[in-house]
Amino acid sequence: MNRRNFLKYSTAALASNSLLSNVTWAADPGYTGEFVLQVQVYAAWDVASFCDPKQDVNINSWAATESIQTAGNLQYAPFANNSQLFDNHHDKMLVVNGVNSFTNSHSAGRLYSYTGYNGGGYPSLSALFAAANSASVPVPVVYNGGDFFTQGLVAASKLGNDPSTFLQILENETPTTSTKPFLKQQQYSLIDQFNQRRYNIKAGAEHSLPMDKVSITDYGKSIQPSAAFANFKPLLEQVEQSESSGAYEREYDFNNKLLKQAKFSLLSFASGLSVAADIVARGFDSHSDHDNKQAGALSDLTSTLDYIWVLAEELGIADRLNVYVASDFGRTPFYNNGTPPGKDHWAVGSTLIMKKNAPWAGKAVGSTDNKLNARKVNRAKPTTSNDNNGVILEPKHVMQAMRKQLGIDQSDAALAFPLKVDFGDEVDLFA
């Protein structure tokens, strides 16, 4: 795949209507900022077989025949498809180990990991970022199910792993289940006229409550045509052509649901549709047959994370991409008595943050002991473990640091949802 072709298609879509079938769109002002992709590792991963490896046969079966591997300054487990990710992308990784969610409830763990607050009522990181950065894009954040929260800050759209219906509606193509388009062009025009007239009436009202004014403004934005929609399809076609031609150096399962979610999320970024997305990696609930279930789910996850960076490079957005990977919590250090044996809930887990050319990448912060108990870290130098005067890392510390790193900690959206980190307990993960 050729990056120049992507840029050519994108520029052409902005300048011309020739790529569209029935709908004419106006040009966007353009978004030049960062993107955030939040990856939900749904139902709890086993970090002892991923980024916090333990050379103990009682904890990991692979330890009987394999040794912990190293990529750059990072250690990883010789398990599943971990080497593909760590060997190729360790220089983009900040591994945060020893993150204690202080719960063994899936829903409470996910709430804490994805919002930074375990009391509920807070937005997901992706939604918070979109609220602070999405003024000029038509679909601020896309999501794919899982535990995703906007708290009314921003409009979200569920894209999923099949954009065919999305494209049919956008360009009035014939649905796969019918011989006719959704609407005639004349009907589209009438809808446009109705929407514009409705907006004019509401915007001209003399007495509107503050929240009503916000809703009216958002409604006005939503009915404005956007060239970003025109960019999506040619980019998708170019990617699919590359997939079928075998242009990638490594093999990927392009039918994998997680990979599709990632692909369409990145296309929404590159086309100008969105600035943030949330995707969901499943298959990690391993109370029985732990090794097989975790190996399959981890392989899908690591292969998809690898693909994300390959595709981001080809789309020309790798320098602007931030990937945040977290789970409910971890898995117990020892196997249970299931048949085959599994692992149960463990409050301590890890978080993975990825960014190209970041000065803070290529290292691990935080740690656990040989039984996966979280150690206290130095607040200013979290690479220093087991500091008796330090603090146990929690998702709130990670999220607080992420907000600051992304430059949204002082945004109106973030200030409306302050995290419960006591003064002096902030941890400089990105030192």
Side-chain angles (χ1 to χ4, degrees):
M1 194 188 313
N2 189 301
R3 177 179 174 183
R4 184 177 299 171
N5 284 341
F6 276 108
L7 296 177
K8 176 185 71 177
Y9 273 106
S10 180
T11 304
L14 288 168
S16 171
N17 296 323
S18 62
L19 292 172
L20 302 176
S21 56
N22 294 305
V23 183
T24 300
W25 304 98
D28 283 324
Y31 173 77
T32 59
E34 299 281 295
F35 302 111
V36 168
L37 179 63
Q38 178 167 273
V39 184
Q40 298 185 31
V41 182
Y42 208 80
W45 56 358
D46 181 12
V47 296
S49 285
F50 183 57
C51 60
D52 193 7
K54 304 299 177 185
Q55 192 74 43
D56 185 337
V57 294
N58 295 309
I59 296 177
N60 296 306
S61 297
W62 54 258
T65 57
E66 304 286 345
S67 299
I68 293 174
Q69 300 296 299
T70 302
N73 296 317
L74 298 178
Q75 290 188 328
Y76 68 90
F79 183 75
N81 199 29
N82 291 343
S83 60
Q84 178 176 346
L85 176 65
F86 283 86
D87 290 349
N88 291 307
H89 305 288
H90 60 86
D91 59 335
K92 302 179 184 73
M93 295 182 180
L94 177 68
V95 175
V96 187
N97 290 323
V99 181
N100 196 333
S101 295
F102 289 99
T103 183
N104 63 1
S105 164
H106 282 300
S107 58
R110 288 192 287 267
L111 190 70
Y112 204 4
S113 293
Y114 306 143
T115 71
Y117 179 56
N118 56 7
Y122 272 47
S124 300
L125 175 66
S126 50
L128 188 68
F129 181 84
N133 290 279
S134 62
S136 63
V137 299
V139 185
V141 57
V142 295
Y143 72 104
N144 294 271
D147 286 34
F148 174 74
F149 315 94
T150 67
Q151 303 308 326
L153 283 177
V154 66
S157 298
K158 191 172 183 180
L159 184 56
N161 51 49
D162 182 1
S164 57
T165 303
F166 172 73
L167 293 171
Q168 288 162 7
I169 294 173
L170 279 182
E171 302 196 8
N172 198 24
E173 293 180 350
T174 301
T176 55
T177 56
S178 175
T179 58
K180 297 180 180 180
F182 283 101
L183 295 171
K184 294 180 180 179
Q185 190 62 35
Q186 183 181 11
Q187 292 171 314
Y188 268 112
S189 298
L190 289 173
I191 292 172
D192 288 341
Q193 292 175 33
F194 170 80
N195 283 332
Q196 190 61 53
R197 184 179 302 169
R198 185 171 182 234
Y199 169 72
N200 291 340
I201 292 172
K202 289 183 174 294
E206 293 184 6
H207 304 292
S208 297
L209 295 173
M211 287 301 297
D212 289 337
K213 291 180 179 179
V214 172
S215 297
I216 293 168
T217 300
D218 288 343
Y219 176 63
K221 293 177 182 178
S222 73
I223 64 175
Q224 297 305 310
S226 169
F229 290 107
N231 296 344
F232 189 92
K233 186 175 182 179
L235 288 177
L236 173 62
E237 290 173 343
Q238 186 76 9
V239 169
E240 290 179 339
Q241 180 182 357
S242 183
E243 292 173 1
S244 61
S245 66
Y248 293 100
E249 179 182 346
R250 293 181 287 279
E251 291 186 4
Y252 302 102
D253 178 5
F254 297 114
N255 291 317
N256 180 272
K257 290 183 178 180
L258 180 63
L259 186 140
K260 284 185 175 182
Q261 291 176 26
K263 175 171 71 176
F264 299 143
S265 296
L266 264 62
L267 286 171
S268 73
F269 297 164
S271 63
L273 279 174
S274 309
V275 303
D278 216 280
I279 66 176
V280 186
R282 298 183 182 273
F284 290 88
D285 205 5
S286 54
H287 292 283
S288 64
D289 199 16
H290 172 84
D291 286 354
N292 285 329
K293 289 179 179 177
Q294 288 280 329
L298 268 176
S299 292
D300 288 344
L301 174 63
T302 53
S303 180
T304 297
L305 290 173
D306 175 53
Y307 170 80
I308 283 169
W309 290 102
V310 171
L311 182 59
E313 287 287 352
E314 295 174 2
L315 291 170
I317 60 172
D319 291 336
R320 303 160 63 192
L321 181 62
N322 302 267
V323 180
Y324 175 82
V325 190
S327 189
D328 317 19
F329 31 67
R331 289 277 160 185
T332 49
F334 304 113
Y335 293 88
N336 60 28
N337 294 322
T339 306
K343 288 187 179 183
D344 301 317
H345 301 176
W346 189 250
V348 179
S350 301
T351 299
L352 180 65
I353 302 164
M354 301 183 73
K355 174 75 174 172
K356 181 182 177 183
N357 296 328
W360 42 261
K363 66 180 180 181
V365 298
S367 72
T368 58
D369 62 19
N370 59 1
K371 297 296 186 281
L372 277 176
N373 295 298
R375 288 172 165 167
K376 291 184 177 181
V377 299
N378 185 286
R379 296 170 180 81
K381 296 181 179 180
T383 51
T384 303
S385 300
N386 209 21
D387 183 344
N388 291 331
N389 296 317
V391 63
I392 294 290
L393 285 174
E394 296 181 44
K396 64 182 180 181
H397 297 109
V398 180
M399 195 62 67
Q400 182 92 323
M402 279 298 297
R403 287 183 176 191
K404 186 174 182 180
Q405 175 61 28
L406 292 171
I408 62 172
D409 58 314
Q410 297 302 309
S411 68
D412 290 342
L415 293 175
F417 296 91
L419 297 176
K420 311 304 180 183
V421 179
D422 295 334
F423 180 76
D425 267 350
E426 299 91 345
V427 180
D428 192 359
L429 299 179
F430 300 95

